[in-house]
Amino acid sequence: MDFDGDGIPDILSGSWPGQLYLFRGLGKGQFAAGETLKDKNGKEISLESASTVFACDWRDTGTLDLLVGDINGTVWLVPNEGTRTKPAYGPAVRLSAGGKEIRVNHGDSHPVMADWEATGKPGLIVGCGDGGVLFYRNVGTRKEPKLDDPVTLIPGIQFGGGDQGQENPKPKQGNRAKVCVFDWNGDGKVDLLVGDFSSHVGKAPKLTEAEKKKHKELQEQMAAFQKEMKPYFDEINRISKESAKINDPKERKEFTNTKYQEAFKRFETILNKQRDLYQAMSKYQAPHQTHGYVWLYQRLASSKTELDRNR
């Protein structure tokens, strides 16, 4: 999207640590190096981990606000208190729907603004950690959006089971849904493009007797090694309990990041040994395969909200 209003498409991206990045378009498919988005006080905008970001005129001010999702399933509004070309972002606020703070199933929220029902009052569409997609209708005004309880556009998945031990399983809906709202077939109704993530355990390799023996030896080493790992796990649990007592999200995030980095450094030798053992064992075990698909859901001609399940 054209973030800076110069007529050239740019790229916005969230990140695992939480910072939001802008890659300014240079034209002809070229982009500048990423720069983090900052608030009006010059501080990086970083709310929670696994952030997603969508720039839109949420409050009908002629400027671009930011909708931000995170690992907890929350949806944040970061209001632009500046102008279209010179944004000045104010304090982030959590969005609510039906009187309750939004927190989608299995976290990993991905919010986008969309006029899903062509009412002239755009609402909110959110991809969820369980692979589902929700629509929050705007029952307020264009300038003061108020969100109703969600309507399920795409149901989430049941985790676990299925397709284990198969070398090439059939494509199926995954989790961590990332959405794009677009009129794919030009019929005047917006459709959904949904990207996802999924994984499965592949087919186990056939081992020789010597390989089976080596695999068993490595399993025994790993079992014994868990005692060495205990102090590290105890430290991580302690950090998690302490961070849970911190109410401010920025303070909590800074605390956990700092303490985790300290723990990683202190236990670096043990963690490297664990990594080496896992790598040695991997060639004797069924591969853990990860993949993602992009699905097209087209709007049914007879419905304002329902989608064709023949993806």
Side-chain angles (χ1 to χ4, degrees):
M1 53 89 60
D2 184 7
F3 180 79
D4 51 18
D6 63 357
I8 302 174
D10 310 299
I11 293 176
L12 281 178
S13 177
S15 67
W16 168 248
Q19 292 91 342
L20 310 179
Y21 287 86
L22 167 65
F23 299 84
R24 295 186 187 275
L26 304 176
K28 298 182 179 180
Q30 301 297 311
F31 296 89
E35 57 185 271
T36 55
L37 296 184
K38 297 179 174 61
D39 63 19
K40 62 183 180 181
N41 298 315
K43 294 183 179 180
E44 286 186 344
I45 301 173
S46 183
L47 302 169
E48 292 286 354
S49 299
S51 61
T52 60
V53 59
F54 185 81
C56 60
D57 189 1
W58 180 252
R59 301 166 300 144
D60 195 27
T61 60
T63 65
L64 291 180
D65 303 314
L66 301 176
L67 295 176
V68 180
D70 65 31
I71 196 169
N72 299 317
T74 307
V75 176
W76 302 81
L77 169 66
V78 186
N80 182 1
E81 299 174 358
T83 66
R84 175 67 176 81
T85 55
K86 293 184 179 180
Y89 296 108
V93 295
R94 295 178 176 89
L95 290 186
S96 296
K100 297 179 181 179
E101 180 184 304
I102 295 174
R103 190 167 291 243
V104 302
N105 290 337
H106 288 273
D108 284 312
S109 53
H110 179 228
V112 302
M113 184 181 83
D115 191 359
W116 184 249
E117 297 177 320
T119 62
K121 296 191 301 181
L124 186 71
I125 288 182
V126 185
C128 309
D130 66 357
V133 178
L134 303 175
F135 166 53
Y136 296 84
R137 183 178 289 108
N138 179 7
V139 294
T141 66
R142 181 68 185 86
K143 291 187 177 295
E144 295 184 359
K146 181 181 179 181
L147 301 176
D148 202 357
D149 291 327
V151 175
T152 299
L153 299 182
I154 301 173
I157 63 172
Q158 296 293 324
F159 289 88
D163 292 339
Q164 305 303 314
Q166 295 186 27
E167 191 169 351
N168 295 301
K170 293 181 179 180
K172 66 177 183 179
Q173 180 185 355
N175 56 331
R176 303 181 197 172
K178 301 295 181 283
V179 298
C180 176
V181 181
F182 180 70
D183 183 3
W184 179 264
N185 57 358
D187 66 353
K189 294 183 178 182
V190 287
D191 308 299
L192 281 182
L193 288 174
V194 182
D196 65 20
F197 169 87
S198 57
S199 64
H200 77 283
V201 178
K203 191 175 181 179
K206 293 183 179 180
L207 302 179
T208 65
E209 291 302 317
E211 288 172 332
K212 291 178 181 178
K213 181 179 180 181
K214 180 62 177 179
H215 186 210
K216 185 177 180 180
E217 290 175 356
L218 289 170
Q219 288 177 315
E220 291 172 350
Q221 290 180 37
M222 179 62 78
F225 181 62
Q226 296 308 307
K227 294 181 180 179
E228 295 183 49
M229 289 292 296
K230 188 176 184 306
Y232 168 74
F233 290 131
D234 289 344
E235 178 71 1
I236 294 299
N237 288 333
R238 184 187 65 80
I239 293 171
S240 297
K241 289 179 180 179
E242 290 186 16
S243 67
K245 299 176 183 178
I246 303 174
N247 293 323
D248 184 85
K250 288 188 176 180
E251 291 183 12
R252 182 169 64 249
K253 183 178 178 182
E254 289 175 0
F255 172 83
T256 53
N257 285 346
T258 299
K259 294 299 181 181
Y260 281 156
Q261 289 175 10
E262 291 175 354
F264 295 156
K265 187 173 182 180
R266 188 160 61 252
F267 293 96
E268 185 175 6
T269 300
I270 291 176
L271 291 172
N272 286 341
K273 184 177 178 181
Q274 182 194 45
R275 178 202 62 201
D276 293 342
L277 275 172
Y278 274 124
Q279 289 179 345
M281 291 175 63
S282 64
K283 64 180 180 180
Y284 304 110
Q285 298 175 326
H288 187 82
Q289 300 174 348
T290 60
H291 47 271
Y293 300 100
V294 178
W295 305 91
L296 168 62
Y297 295 84
Q298 290 183 275
R299 191 78 67 90
L300 289 172
S302 60
S303 174
K304 287 185 176 181
T305 59
E306 301 236 347
L307 293 159
D308 186 352
R309 303 301 175 190
N310 296 319
R311 305 177 299 257

